Amino acid sequence: DIVMTQSPDSLDVSLGERATINCKSSQSVLHSSNSKNYLAWYQQKPGQPPKLLIYWASTRESGVPDRFSGSGSGTDFTLTISSLQAEDVAIYYCQQYYTNPPWTFGQGTKVEIK
Amino acid sequence: QVQLRESGPGLVKPSETLSLTCTVSGGSISGYYWSWIRQPPGKRLEYVGYISKTGTTNYNPSLTSRVAISVDTSKNQFSLNVNSVTAADTAVYYCARIGSGTSTPDRGFGNFDYWGRGSLVTVSS
């Protein structure tokens, strides 16, 4: 199975400041046939299910604010919140869907307000 | 707006069978694949398995000998059974839609665009 490792485990950021979350996969999730990275990001607010934010490593899901952006390729990826809002307090997960299942998730990064 | 809702017992005894049902509303179960994902307390999300409208299934190899997913298109429902449960099966169980179907953007196969709110199942005597 591909192991997904996120860093840091938690992050305290001031309102309006940038938050950066890293995700590393144990093997490349870049598919040579279409040059796409099979990597998604989710946001999970307290008491709610995960919400799909980004797929193909950098494509925002419809309705997701543009302060959320994804980048990276191969094995190293980043989710950036450009200007943290109070409603962004959540746990963020990366997930690979490169291989046949089992698709795997990172351990999560908790983002809180400083 | 598609909505998913899990239902089933919140407490299961060790060695017995955990059974959950996911009811899909606001859209048809046809044309999509549907999945179960679980999250043990303090641990990461874990893929359990998926099913198509025609009954094609895939299970996590770590669970495949104990897991079965079925679908009832007439009721717009799909279900999960996990047999011979132990305390390690205690988790919040989510049902989710795989985000690749007839009316979705090309997201690739294997991410999840709609989720239920989750159902906590505790295995304890």
Side-chain angles (χ1 to χ4, degrees):
Chain A
D1 298 358
I2 297 178
V3 177
M4 308 300 291
T5 304
Q6 293 180 228
S7 62
D9 289 334
S10 64
L11 190 58
D12 291 341
V13 178
S14 300
L15 288 171
E17 296 299 305
R18 179 185 300 262
T20 301
I21 301 168
N22 300 302
C23 174
K24 189 174 185 66
S25 57
S26 61
Q27 66 185 74
S28 176
V29 298
L30 173 63
H31 211 293
S32 57
S33 66
N34 58 9
S35 299
K36 290 187 174 183
N37 289 283
Y38 285 62
L39 190 285
W41 288 97
Y42 299 85
Q43 174 194 63
Q44 187 175 28
K45 296 182 179 181
Q48 297 185 18
K51 172 188 173 183
L52 179 63
L53 289 180
I54 286 172
Y55 55 93
W56 296 137
S58 61
T59 302
R60 268 189 304 277
E61 176 73 346
S62 176
V64 172
D66 61 6
R67 64 179 180 273
F68 291 92
S69 63
S71 62
S73 186
T75 61
D76 293 281
F77 300 91
T78 300
L79 175 69
T80 301
I81 309 173
S82 60
S83 176
L84 191 77
Q85 306 299 303
E87 61 264 33
D88 301 333
V89 168
I91 300 175
Y92 293 84
Y93 297 94
C94 60
Q95 179 230 335
Q96 67 80 18
Y97 51 105
Y98 174 80
T99 58
N100 289 326
W103 302 306
T104 49
F105 294 82
Q107 81 275 21
T109 295
K110 189 173 187 178
V111 174
E112 296 181 304
I113 305 295
K114 185 185 292 184
Chain B
Q1 176 80 342
V2 175
Q3 293 187 322
L4 292 77
R5 180 173 52 87
E6 304 90 350
S7 59
L11 181 64
V12 181
K13 289 182 168 54
S15 79
E16 296 190 345
T17 296
L18 178 161
S19 296
L20 292 171
T21 295
C22 182
T23 301
V24 179
S25 59
S28 173
I29 208 165
S30 299
Y32 293 91
Y33 285 66
W34 303 88
S35 187
W36 288 96
I37 297 155
R38 70 181 186 178
Q39 187 169 32
K43 295 190 176 182
R44 67 183 66 197
L45 295 157
E46 179 184 33
Y47 165 78
V48 174
Y50 73 65
I51 192 165
S52 72
K53 66 169 183 174
T54 59
T56 300
T57 55
N58 175 277
Y59 302 128
N60 191 320
S62 68
L63 296 166
T64 191
S65 63
R66 300 191 296 123
V67 168
I69 300 175
S70 59
V71 65
D72 187 338
T73 55
S74 67
K75 294 182 179 178
N76 240 31
Q77 293 178 334
F78 61 105
S79 298
L80 170 71
N81 279 350
V82 182
N83 59 39
S84 305
V85 296
T86 69
D89 294 307
T90 293
V92 176
Y93 285 77
Y94 296 98
C95 58
R97 190 179 84 170
I98 293 177
S100 173
T102 53
S103 302
T104 62
D106 173 23
R107 301 188 186 100
F109 184 75
N111 51 64
F112 307 97
D113 62 349
Y114 287 98
W115 297 64
R117 296 194 68 85
S119 178
L120 173 61
V121 179
T122 301
V123 178
S124 175
S125 56

